Amino acid sequence: MEQKMAQARTLSEDEIKMVLNYCRARRHCVRDRTILQLSFLAGLRVIEIAGLKIADVYEDTGKVRDSFVLAAEQTKGGFERRVFVGRKLNKALADYYPVIRKRKPETPLFQTQIGGAFSANTMCQLFLNIYSAAGLKGASSHSGRRTFITKLANSGVNVRVLAALAGHRSIVTTQRYIDVNEVQLARAVELV
């Protein structure tokens, strides 16, 4: 019998606020909040967040780009993809810029406590530590991504658009990320 791997937990708006508020007490508050926001507001994987360079996200003037491209080597699937920066993510990245403004554009967007680049594994550990310390059970580095996709699906975004935003080649993969919940079911019956 095939054993299913547990899916990352999808977070509610209250849980997202709780985690972001928890980060205010952390030593690297702005960095950690920005990392989480890239997960919640753009659906990025940890490998993608860890691979970002300053120049990927900011123009030479320090202005946040409206969108940026993840190179094939920065993604899980090995395919280049454009990431669109919405209003909330733009604000989070603008708030982060003073932390990194003196660094060279080709350096990692996020650095560990000792000043090196995050690996995907150390970024996963950061997510797990934050969620655990904030009191969220079952949340992982993939929770923000699942939350992003589910929130957009709940808002009626077409699954093909979701797949493109998530960088999935198949809508079947995207559909596995979407939690069916009572809100969706109640809205669905109102359409009849």
Side-chain angles (χ1 to χ4, degrees):
M1 187 162 136
E2 187 179 323
Q3 193 173 14
K4 278 187 144 182
M5 195 160 86
Q7 287 190 321
R9 179 175 163 196
T10 301
L11 305 180
S12 69
E13 276 304 314
D14 287 342
E15 290 170 326
I16 292 170
K17 286 177 188 170
M18 181 179 76
V19 166
L20 293 174
N21 283 334
Y22 162 75
C23 284
R24 292 184 195 279
R26 291 179 59 87
R27 180 176 174 201
H28 299 285
C29 164
V30 181
R31 179 201 69 185
D32 294 349
R33 285 175 56 92
T34 308
I35 288 169
L36 288 166
Q37 296 285 42
L38 280 162
S39 178
F40 296 139
L41 300 173
L44 297 188
R45 298 173 178 98
V46 292
I47 191 171
E48 296 164 344
I49 298 170
L52 288 173
K53 304 283 186 245
I54 292 171
D56 293 335
V57 178
Y58 300 97
E59 296 176 7
D60 291 341
T61 61
K63 181 183 179 292
V64 177
R65 297 181 187 281
D66 293 332
S67 67
F68 57 91
V69 174
L70 292 173
E73 61 273 5
Q74 290 174 291
T75 67
K76 177 183 174 190
F79 297 99
E80 183 178 283
R81 123 167 155 263
R82 180 165 299 281
V83 175
F84 293 90
V85 178
R87 177 180 40 84
K88 290 178 184 175
L89 183 55
N90 184 297
K91 180 175 179 350
L93 290 166
D95 290 347
Y96 182 61
Y97 186 72
V99 174
I100 52 101
R101 76 177 189 279
K102 292 184 180 175
R103 295 183 194 157
K104 293 182 177 166
E106 65 278 0
T107 61
L109 181 58
F110 301 107
Q111 293 184 349
T112 64
Q113 292 182 81
I114 58 172
F118 276 91
S119 68
N121 195 33
T122 55
M123 184 72 68
C124 277
Q125 289 304 310
L126 177 71
F127 273 89
L128 290 174
N129 291 342
I130 290 171
Y131 287 141
S132 177
L136 288 176
K137 294 185 188 320
S140 74
S141 61
H142 229 56
S143 290
R145 185 168 168 77
R146 284 201 75 219
T147 300
F148 171 76
I149 293 169
T150 297
K151 281 175 67 174
L152 290 175
N154 287 346
S155 297
V157 175
N158 178 292
V159 72
R160 289 201 181 279
V161 173
L162 293 175
L165 290 171
H168 292 151
R169 293 284 172 214
S170 166
I171 63 172
V172 173
T173 303
T174 307
Q175 289 171 323
R176 287 194 297 251
Y177 277 75
I178 302 168
D179 278 339
V180 175
N181 57 49
E182 290 184 8
V183 172
Q184 288 173 310
L185 297 173
R187 283 184 189 155
V189 298
E190 291 301 326
L191 296 173
V192 180

